[in-house]
């Protein structure tokens, strides 16, 4: 009887090919872009109630204070509603355009995030009595 031939050690598994690694990288990059676009869309929709889009008849809540107001559009039935817009005067910062009309005049040229928006306007506001 002859002894059995020695067995060859099993070959180590081949390393993943470069194309497989590149495919994984592409998937990660695409997922990252999709997440960034999703976050951007959510922030855009959340910012749609910005005061620079306020129209006559809209009601506003003040999340700031009287010196540094941070106004946002809310429903007039909302318990946070403090002002009602009675006139919008675009392309000016002249609050005297509201004299005799309202309790409060608000002018703004910054958006809610305090970045230059390039818009100048005055909102003539009437206080909501609670």
């Amino acid at each position: 009887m002859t002894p059995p031939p020695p067995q060859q050690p099993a070959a180590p598994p081949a390393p993943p090919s470069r194309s497989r690694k590149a495919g994984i990288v592409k998937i990660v990059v695409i997922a990252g872009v999709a997440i960034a676009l999703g976050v951007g869309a959510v922030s855009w929709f959340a910012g749609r109630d910005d005061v620079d889009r306020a129209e006559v008849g809209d009601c506003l809540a003040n999340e700031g204070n009287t010196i540094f107001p941070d106004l946002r559009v809310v429903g007039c039935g909302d318990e946070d509603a403090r002002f009602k817009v009675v006139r919008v005067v675009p392309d000016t910062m002249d609050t005297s355009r509201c004299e005799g009309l309202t309790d409060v005049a608000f002018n703004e040229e910054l958006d809610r995030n305090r970045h230059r928006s390039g818009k100048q306007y005055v909102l003539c506001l009437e206080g909501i009595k609670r």
Side-chain angles (χ1 to χ4, degrees), residues 61-113:
N62 185 6
E63 295 178 345
N65 55 45
T66 54
I67 297 171
F68 299 106
D70 186 8
L71 301 174
R72 67 180 172 90
V73 177
V74 296
C76 290
D78 191 301
E79 68 181 39
D80 292 335
R82 295 292 178 256
F83 304 101
K84 188 169 194 168
V85 179
V86 295
R87 178 184 282 173
V88 178
V89 187
D91 304 322
T92 187
M93 296 289 282
D94 182 10
T95 57
S96 69
R97 308 267 310 262
C98 294
E99 281 183 26
L101 272 179
T102 63
D103 301 331
V104 179
F106 172 77
N107 64 5
E108 183 67 88
E109 65 176 329
L110 304 174
D111 68 16
R112 262 184 110 204
N113 296 322

Side-chain angles (χ1 to χ4, degrees), residues 17-92:
S17 67
R18 297 185 113 237
S19 64
R20 187 169 185 190
K21 285 182 182 178
I24 292 172
V25 169
K26 284 181 186 177
I27 289 171
V28 168
V29 168
I30 290 171
V33 169
I35 290 169
L37 289 174
V39 168
V42 167
S43 65
W44 181 80
F45 278 109
R48 284 181 20 178
D49 66 349
D50 285 344
V51 71
D52 65 348
R53 293 179 186 87
E55 298 176 353
V56 172
D58 284 347
C59 291
L60 306 174
N62 185 6
E63 295 178 345
N65 55 45
T66 54
I67 297 171
F68 299 106
D70 186 8
L71 301 174
R72 67 180 172 90
V73 177
V74 296
C76 290
D78 191 301
E79 68 181 39
D80 292 335
R82 295 292 178 256
F83 304 101
K84 188 169 194 168
V85 179
V86 295
R87 178 184 282 173
V88 178
V89 187
D91 304 322
T92 187

